[in-house]
Amino acid sequence: PPGENDGDAVATEDDVSPGMLSQIASFHEEGCAVVLLSLGSRGALVSVTPDAERLRRSSPDGCDAALGRWTPGTRVRVPAFWVPHGEVNANGAGDALFSGFCLAASSWWVRAAAGRRPGDAGGEGWEVTPCAAGTFASLVAWQRCDARTRDGDGMRSAAELMELVRRGNLPDALEP
């Protein structure tokens, strides 16, 4: 499942243009701890600042956000997912992607599922990594793009989507 080995999803120069990689680097230089770049039907890129101190400062003491435990310099590409019946409405997909990422990075799911904070004794030991947060965000966008379920019947809850990520039970990815 995503998060167990984020190295499996490491982005390469082929995934994103050199100009975009340069832009991401400039965002980090200007103070952004994490950059999420939508690649549309090719998925998304999550980039964590290489500055460990900046990353630490972005998650204050007592805050339970996952990003405070992320490895500086991590860069992962997550896929977009295929809507099997082909009825796609991408309106709002970017908003869904970014909202889903913020929710996942806040570690809300780990606390809700285990009734405790990540890392507490007795927990499952699963934490939201950049890859897991990006994959969750991509699932939120995928669900928003499904013209049959986007506004009600058949939509999965955020907890159900995160469980898909945690178990690695993901829909088919679109080929880049």
Side-chain angles (χ1 to χ4, degrees):
E4 289 185 3
N5 183 2
D6 279 354
D8 291 344
V10 173
T12 67
E13 296 289 327
D14 295 335
D15 293 321
V16 181
S17 72
M20 290 305 291
L21 290 172
S22 176
Q23 189 67 40
I24 289 168
S26 72
F27 287 150
H28 287 314
E29 289 167 10
E30 292 297 322
C32 292
V34 179
V35 176
L36 175 66
L37 174 65
S38 172
L39 302 172
S41 64
R42 295 182 324 154
L45 179 77
V46 179
S47 179
V48 179
T49 182
D51 184 338
E53 180 60 22
R54 179 176 301 127
L55 191 58
R56 187 194 63 73
R57 286 191 321 259
S58 70
S59 190
D61 291 340
C63 178
D64 221 7
L67 64 95
R69 293 178 299 282
W70 289 354
T71 303
T74 300
R75 184 181 293 156
V76 295
R77 190 181 75 71
V78 296
F81 298 106
W82 181 59
V83 176
H85 53 71
E87 292 179 41
V88 174
N89 178 346
N91 187 34
D95 294 337
L97 178 80
F98 293 107
S99 298
F101 186 82
C102 290
L103 184 61
S106 75
S107 291
W108 67 272
W109 184 84
V110 176
R111 289 190 309 273
R116 59 187 63 84
R117 294 180 173 191
D120 283 354
E124 292 185 40
W126 189 76
E127 292 197 17
V128 179
T129 63
C131 187
T135 300
F136 174 80
S138 191
L139 281 174
V140 173
W142 163 76
Q143 183 165 260
R144 183 67 186 155
C145 288
D146 186 331
R148 291 185 183 174
T149 63
R150 68 182 279 128
D151 292 319
D153 291 339
M155 283 189 74
R156 293 181 172 111
S157 69
E160 290 170 317
L161 292 176
M162 188 55 90
E163 186 63 18
L164 293 176
V165 174
R166 192 178 77 79
R167 295 190 184 280
N169 186 22
L170 303 172
D172 291 335
L174 286 171
E175 295 299 320

